[in-house]
Amino acid sequence: GENVEQHPSTLSVQEGDSAVIKCTYSDSASNYFPWYKQELGKRPQLIIDIRSNVGEKKDQRIAVTLNKTAKHFSLHITETQPEDSAVYFCAAFGNEKLTFGTGTRLTIIP
Amino acid sequence: EAQVTQNPRYLITVTGKKLTVTCSQNMNHEYMSWYRQDPGLGLRQIYYSMNVEVTDKGDVPEGYKVSRKEKRNFPLILESPSPNQTSLYFCASSHGTGAHYEQYFGPGTRLTVT
């Protein structure tokens, strides 16, 4: 089955700086890659996603890049703000299943 | 309001006592699934359903059962709970017959098995 690895597990950045979270996947048939944000005590919510026919997607301060050849994708958050503090999960969809990474706890230091 | 609901939100039970966690969505979504969330392991899929009467195993199905008799409901059944099933459980739904669309998560059910 699919295996998704996510790094780093924790990340602290100064407010205003950029944050990058990286994921790799194993199944070359995977074709959909969402990112979810989970605030403390809340449910995961989709923040951005990318499909396999696209290399990059941007939504305001958030961007995702996909390298299908290397089987990795990354989340980039620019101009970080305190409300960006949360746990972020990457995921890969293939063979009717969505497999999540183990999560990155992002802390924004004021 | 479009939403996914789960009940109960918190449950403490004892080993071996059968329980059911309900999940309901009002968005007419075809796809529904159950995940468990454990520290350091992320979200792992237990079971999923692509439509009424169509269910299949996820990555960690052992010890769980599901049914999909109606489109809006997807209950999770633990016939004989054990302590290793202590976890935070999320139900999710999406339109279409697969998880390659936005997953709408329920609020979660925190289960403790003693």
Side-chain angles (χ1 to χ4, degrees), chain A residues 32 36 38 43 51 93 96, chain B residues 37 50 100 103 105-106:
Chain A
Y32 172 66
Y36 284 82
Q38 186 179 29
R43 70 194 80 185
R51 298 190 185 271
F93 174 79
E96 301 301 337
Chain B
Q37 183 175 14
M50 290 194 282
H100 50 295
Q103 297 286 294
F105 285 86

Side-chain angles (χ1 to χ4, degrees), chain A residues 32 36 38 42-44 46 51 89 93 95-102, chain B residues 31 35 37 40 42-43 48 50 57 90 99-103 105-107:
Chain A
Y32 172 66
Y36 284 82
Q38 186 179 29
K42 302 262 182 85
R43 70 194 80 185
L46 181 74
R51 298 190 185 271
F89 292 98
F93 174 79
N95 293 321
E96 301 301 337
K97 292 183 186 176
L98 190 63
T99 302
F100 285 83
T102 51
Chain B
Y31 187 93
Y35 298 89
Q37 183 175 14
L43 290 147
Y48 64 95
M50 290 194 282
K57 296 177 181 178
F90 286 101
H100 50 295
Y101 297 95
E102 178 175 1
Q103 297 286 294
F105 285 86

